[in-house]
Amino acid sequence: MPTVVLMDVSLSMTRPVSLDGSEEFQRKNLAVHGLNMLFEHMASNYRLEFTALMAFSSLWELLVPFTRDYNALQDALSNLEDYDKTCLELALQGVSSVVQQEWGSACPCQVVLVTDGSLGIGKGSLRHSLQTLKLRGDDKKFPLPFPFPTKMFIMCIANAEELQMTDTMDNLEELLRLSGGDGQIFTMDGLLCMKSVQAMFGMLIDRAYSPFHAVLHCGNLSSDVQVFPRPEPVVVDEEVEPIPRAVSTDLEIVGFIEIADISSPPVISRHLVLPIAVNKEVDEVGTGATDELEEEPSASQMAGKSPNFCVLLHGSLKVEGMVALVQLGPDWFGMLYSQADSKKKSNLMMSLFEPSPDPLPWLGKISHLGPVSEAAENPYGEDDSKSPFPVQPQVKRSYAQNVTVWIKASGLQTDVQKILRNARKLPDKTQTFYKELNRLRKAALAFGFWELLKGVAELLERECTLLPDSTHPDAAFQLSHAARQLKLASSGDSQYAAFDHNIVPMHTDFSS
């Protein structure tokens, strides 16, 4: 999940703060100190995070494009210049442009806005932007919400009391709401000093950039791993009282399955799995991501000194063309697999399924899967010519049937005309006539469309009166019978309006 750091370099950030009688510092100096702390943490624990640095006042500038080089980011912070007034709307437009150009609109992104809480003055100020939200045309829309999923964290180089003296906090809360509400506003506690800014950025790190450490188990084997990015809690909508469900720190491999059987399943998120001891660049059978920084021993060297189950698992999955099903929590599963980063590099990835005992319908319940060796006969056949998947459901799915759907009036008109065409060809088309009639009857009952049944019944009665003298007498009997059955069904009487009931042809005998 890439991060954009948006740094306020307006004149209000140069306001001095006194630090216990020592030399004066500016608010900008406190902000730089906090960001350096964040970048140092990310360099140690979030090395794979792509981060960009932008500065803004009345205009915006991309100081460092998306990179993993945190030295470059810290160097840019030390060379910040001071500019004029604050114009946050233009800066947010810049964030939208930079992120979409690099990552598109599908990749989630975190935005860290560092400001002193000054909203700006006049046109272009945050206060003015929010007041004119509903007065804008489509060509001048406010940049929030962004076209991509966003978490916005607002770091205020000010304490809450200072912000609440004006409407600043209300405006910042409205800004957070417009961004999607999935973020937080941080303020400094007490005096503006190095200690309080460290505490504030420490809370940001705990909230958004704390590494996720877990233990990966497979039988008697285990390995300490880091999952990157940190898996977010998932809220299951189907539950009566939705409770966020978090990924367990004990990941248990429950089995292995061929890639062809699992195909391309729907997932809610994808993560990189790194051995704790192997968090650098890895060779072809290792686990990790390409990284230019080489100040520590490479993972291949470290793996050679100490055996690691995670590296073994990755190499095995890659060679055998299989995936490992892993349990993330109660009735929640995911899969581990090897994904090529380039011709020579590959990563051990983990994809999370929707929380469910059977997240992939074609596999059935995960708990019902078992070793091939325990089956009475090989489900893949002696020569691997067949597959036990997809598992056939006991109840026929509704989407596997011929379901009648009327999206437009023309579709309904076509179905009614088809019935009338067959009605005019009775008794030769008796079976086809009743088949189409029952299809329309079931759809009307499912939708509660009683008026349709009455209307078609009246049409059939009219057709009966218009039959030519040369028509076989059975046609009139069948039309009258069908019209009467439709009217009975439209009454709602359970005896005649049962969904599974079919109208059968009237038995007649004209042989004598």
Side-chain angles (χ1 to χ4, degrees), residues 317 405 424 493:
L317 294 177
V405 179
R424 292 164 188 153
D493 189 337

Side-chain angles (χ1 to χ4, degrees), residues 30 45 49 53 150 157 163 173 193 209 234 237 239 246 267 287 291 308 311 335 351 365 397 414 433 435 501:
L30 296 179
N45 300 280
E49 182 77 277
L53 177 63
T150 312
I157 311 300
L163 297 176
E173 288 175 351
C193 61
Y209 295 100
V234 176
D237 295 333
E239 296 181 1
V267 299
T287 303
D291 201 325
N308 192 289
V311 176
M335 67 176 183
S351 292
K365 286 191 174 182
R397 306 276 185 183
T414 300
F433 168 74
K435 177 184 175 182
H501 174 72

Side-chain angles (χ1 to χ4, degrees), residues 155-328:
M155 314 301 295
C156 294
I157 311 300
N159 54 43
E161 292 77 11
E162 181 182 350
L163 297 176
Q164 289 169 352
M165 291 175 63
T166 61
D167 61 347
T168 299
M169 185 60 80
D170 294 335
N171 284 277
L172 292 178
E173 288 175 351
E174 177 65 12
L175 184 71
L176 188 64
R177 187 192 66 79
L178 290 173
S179 71
D182 197 3
Q184 191 172 340
I185 299 174
F186 294 91
T187 59
M188 298 174 64
D189 289 334
L191 297 175
L192 304 187
C193 61
M194 293 295 183
K195 185 177 180 180
S196 57
V197 81
Q198 287 175 358
M200 181 177 69
F201 274 87
M203 289 189 290
L204 170 66
I205 290 171
D206 292 339
R207 170 75 166 80
Y209 295 100
S210 58
F212 185 85
H213 292 154
V215 180
L216 181 62
H217 301 276
C218 182
N220 295 324
L221 300 174
S222 63
S223 176
D224 293 329
V225 297
Q226 178 182 347
V227 179
F228 177 88
R230 185 183 185 88
E232 295 293 330
V234 176
V235 178
V236 182
D237 295 333
E238 289 78 6
E239 296 181 1
V240 178
E241 294 183 0
I243 300 175
R245 300 182 60 178
V247 174
S248 171
T249 54
D250 283 312
L251 307 176
E252 185 76 36
I253 294 177
V254 296
F256 300 87
I257 192 169
E258 294 185 5
I259 292 178
D261 288 333
I262 206 163
S263 188
S264 298
V267 299
I268 56 177
S269 61
R270 295 179 177 85
H271 306 266
L272 187 65
V273 179
L274 297 168
I276 295 297
V278 186
N279 53 7
K280 293 291 178 180
E281 185 176 359
V282 183
D283 61 9
E284 187 172 352
V285 297
T287 303
T290 305
D291 201 325
E292 302 87 351
L293 305 179
E294 290 289 347
E295 63 271 14
E296 296 183 16
S298 67
S300 56
Q301 294 170 338
M302 296 173 69
K305 293 178 181 178
S306 56
N308 192 289
F309 164 64
C310 193
V311 176
L312 172 65
L313 174 68
H314 179 206
S316 303
L317 294 177
K318 183 177 181 181
V319 172
E320 297 296 331
M322 303 186 78
V323 302
L325 294 176
V326 59
Q327 186 158 11
L328 312 171

Side-chain angles (χ1 to χ4, degrees), residues 7 32-33 41-42 73 122 191 211 240 254 282 297 303 322 325 339 357 359 371 379 397 419 424 442 454 461 486 504:
M7 176 68 178
V32 169
H33 179 72
H41 170 82
M42 294 172 72
L73 291 165
L191 297 175
V240 178
V254 296
V282 183
M322 303 186 78
L325 294 176
Q339 183 180 62
R397 306 276 185 183
I419 292 173
R424 292 164 188 153
K442 283 191 174 185
K454 292 179 182 178
E461 289 175 341
L486 288 180
V504 296

